[in-house]
Amino acid sequence: YRKAGYIPNGYPHVPDDFIATELSFLAAQSKAALDAFSLGDSEKMKAYVSVQKEFISLHIGRWIDVFAQRLASTDFYSSSANLCKELVLADCSYVLPMLVS
C-alpha cells in the first residue's frame, strides 16, 4: 500500500489483509488506470495495472478461492464470496495479462 501511496480506510484500526481493504486497494488502482487510459497515458496505465497484478499474485489471489469455498456453506455470504472470487480471478487471468506484457 505504501509503495502505491494508498492509505486504507480505517487505517490503522482495520487489518491490512481485511478483504474490504484489499478490494478497495484494487478498486483504487483500477480507477487510476482507467483515468490514465482516458488521458492517453498508456505508461501510467500499465504501471497501475502492474501494481494490481503484483498485489493479486502476492496477496488476495493466494487466498480468495479458499475464502469463497469456506463461505459457500453460508446462505447469506455464499453468492457475494463467489462473485468476489470470480472478479479477482478474472482480473488476474484475463484483464491483467492483456494489459501488461
Side-chain angles (χ1 to χ4, degrees):
Y1 298 142
R2 244 181 267 138
K3 186 170 130 181
Y6 180 75
I7 299 173
N9 289 335
Y11 177 81
H13 305 292
V14 176
D16 291 347
D17 62 351
F18 183 54
I19 189 167
T21 302
E22 293 200 7
L23 292 173
S24 179
F25 174 73
L26 289 174
Q29 293 302 300
S30 292
K31 182 177 181 332
L34 179 61
D35 291 347
F37 177 78
S38 296
L39 294 172
D41 192 340
S42 63
E43 291 305 311
K44 249 188 190 173
M45 180 203 66
K46 286 180 182 181
Y48 287 118
V49 171
S50 181
V51 168
Q52 284 180 280
K53 183 177 181 179
E54 179 182 7
F55 186 80
I56 290 170
S57 69
L58 295 176
H59 299 286
I60 196 168
R62 291 183 174 207
W63 55 263
I64 192 67
D65 192 40
V66 173
F67 175 80
Q69 287 175 16
R70 286 185 180 166
L71 289 180
S73 64
T74 65
D75 291 334
F76 186 73
Y77 293 110
S78 179
S79 296
S80 297
N82 282 321
L83 175 61
C84 178
K85 177 190 80 168
E86 292 303 322
L87 288 172
V88 170
L89 294 177
D91 198 30
C92 189
S93 67
Y94 180 72
V95 177
L96 296 178
M98 287 177 45
L99 296 174
V100 178
S101 47

